[in-house]
Amino acid sequence: VEILDAKTREKLCFLDKVEPHATIAEIKNLFTKSHPQWYPARQSLRLDPKGKSLKDEDVLQKLPVGTTATFYFRDLGAQISWVTVFLTEYAGPLFIYLLFYFRVPFIYGRKYDFTSSRHTVVHLACVCHSFHYVKRLLETLFVHRFSHGTMPLRNIFKNCTYYWGFAAWMAYYINHPLYTPPTYGAQQVKLALAIFVICQLGNFSIHMALRGPAAGRVQDPEDPVPHQEPLHVALPAGVLPQLYLRGGILDRLCHHDAVSPSGPFLPGGLHPDDHLGQRQAPQLSEGVPRLPTPAHAYHPLLAL
């Protein structure tokens, strides 16, 4: 295996006697031995300098290479684990909100230091906000599975700016000494609380569904399918678009150009046997007509 720099074409490493069944992950580990500064998570190996990165699970003998395989290397930069990213993103808003809730000094003025709001809804808002982020922290530790172990370190600053900044902006007004309750009083608060609870349950339901396979089924992490959690089955794609229309699912909606005869479709036009994200429509049985080509472009987001 020959590894060249993708920009300069300089030869960085030559690995002799690499087994044909070696994976890209194993080749990265071998490369790290000669270049310790580029640990495996920083490495992107490709067959073409401008091509896509090879997956860690790709096997050497299944790639279109000859006796000597030439890979092109790109440095992805310093990396940080996704677990650390999520914990940092979610712990920040939890802590920041409580600073405003307890009215620590230098926020609202000296006379309001460590005072408490007289409005019940303010305390309820703190409970709901804290519950949401405690839930996300626990999901990060015990529920989420990450298809990629790391992300570039520089991205965490952008992510935290959003999460932390939005929490501070929201907390400042909700906990302000001049805050006034909702216009429609208790009824508005109860309705909003009910919506919050439903959304939290739906969010948790989908996270559980995307976490792992149903009993006895090995699930491709890039091919999430509905399970039998009540809210996940009940809520259609349009209700939780941020979570439902991710990655391969959105790509699958944009390129679904055939009718499958073998079974029912899932919400959003998906079929249980579809190859999500691979732009492959299910094969039709002989004699089953295809859908006519539309005269105008189809926009799935507008349809939703």
Side-chain angles (χ1 to χ4, degrees):
V1 173
E2 181 183 45
I3 299 179
L4 309 180
D5 187 288
K7 293 182 180 179
T8 66
R9 307 298 193 272
E10 175 189 356
K11 182 184 290 188
L12 299 176
C13 181
F14 185 84
L15 304 174
D16 193 20
K17 298 180 180 179
V18 179
E19 297 293 333
H21 57 266
T23 63
I24 294 298
E26 293 171 339
I27 293 174
K28 287 182 178 180
N29 288 328
L30 294 174
F31 181 53
T32 300
K33 292 181 180 179
S34 59
H35 295 82
Q37 72 274 25
W38 292 321
Y39 47 88
R42 289 189 68 148
Q43 300 175 30
S44 169
L45 297 181
R46 336 166 163 216
L47 294 174
D48 183 86
K50 297 182 179 180
K52 293 183 178 180
S53 298
L54 296 170
K55 297 180 180 180
D56 285 348
E57 60 269 21
D58 286 341
V59 179
L60 182 61
Q61 64 184 0
K62 295 183 179 180
L63 297 174
V65 295
T67 305
T68 299
T70 300
F71 294 136
Y72 295 90
F73 163 81
R74 281 185 179 272
D75 181 12
L76 298 177
Q79 300 289 300
I80 185 172
S81 75
W82 273 106
V83 172
T84 302
V85 171
F86 274 44
L87 292 177
T88 306
E89 288 176 355
Y90 300 148
L94 179 63
F95 175 73
I96 289 172
Y97 193 98
L98 293 177
L99 294 179
F100 289 88
Y101 175 74
F102 290 112
R103 296 177 180 173
V104 299
F106 311 111
I107 295 182
Y108 297 118
R110 182 173 299 177
K111 71 175 183 178
Y112 296 113
D113 290 352
F114 298 111
T115 59
S116 180
S117 174
R118 67 180 187 276
H119 302 299
T120 303
V121 66
V122 172
H123 305 297
L124 180 61
C126 181
V127 171
C128 291
H129 186 273
S130 300
F131 171 83
H132 172 74
Y133 282 102
V134 169
K135 165 183 165 293
R136 296 309 302 269
L137 289 169
L138 293 175
E139 286 175 340
T140 299
L141 293 173
F142 303 111
V143 175
H144 293 330
R145 295 176 179 174
F146 301 96
S147 56
H148 300 284
T150 63
M151 76 169 218
L153 178 62
R154 62 183 178 273
N155 288 354
I156 195 172
F157 300 103
K158 175 179 62 178
N159 293 15
C160 287
T161 297
Y162 167 74
Y163 278 98
W164 296 17
F166 190 79
W169 174 76
M170 185 170 56
Y172 175 83
Y173 290 104
I174 294 176
N175 297 287
H176 198 284
L178 300 181
Y179 171 84
T180 54
T183 303
Y184 298 101
Q187 296 302 318
Q188 184 175 344
V189 173
K190 291 177 182 177
L191 175 61
L193 179 61
I195 294 174
F196 171 82
V197 171
I198 292 173
C199 289
Q200 291 296 302
L201 290 174
N203 179 266
F204 177 72
S205 174
I206 290 180
H207 284 172
M208 290 301 298
L210 295 180
R211 176 182 186 272
R217 180 180 184 271
V218 177
Q219 179 177 332
D220 184 339
E222 296 183 359
D223 184 12
V225 297
H227 293 197
Q228 297 306 313
E229 291 86 350
L231 282 170
H232 188 214
V233 174
L235 296 177
V239 176
L240 297 170
Q242 182 187 12
L243 292 179
Y244 196 88
L245 297 180
R246 275 193 186 189
I249 297 181
L250 181 59
D251 184 72
R252 190 69 195 92
L253 285 173
C254 294
H255 300 91
H256 191 84
D257 61 353
V259 176
S260 173
S262 59
F265 283 91
L266 304 174
L270 304 177
H271 185 273
D273 296 325
D274 284 355
H275 300 283
L276 299 181
Q278 301 178 16
R279 302 189 179 185
Q280 299 177 10
Q283 297 297 318
L284 300 178
S285 301
E286 185 177 356
V288 177
R290 298 175 65 87
L291 287 176
T293 303
H296 54 83
Y298 174 64
H299 301 283
L301 292 181
L302 295 180
L304 288 175

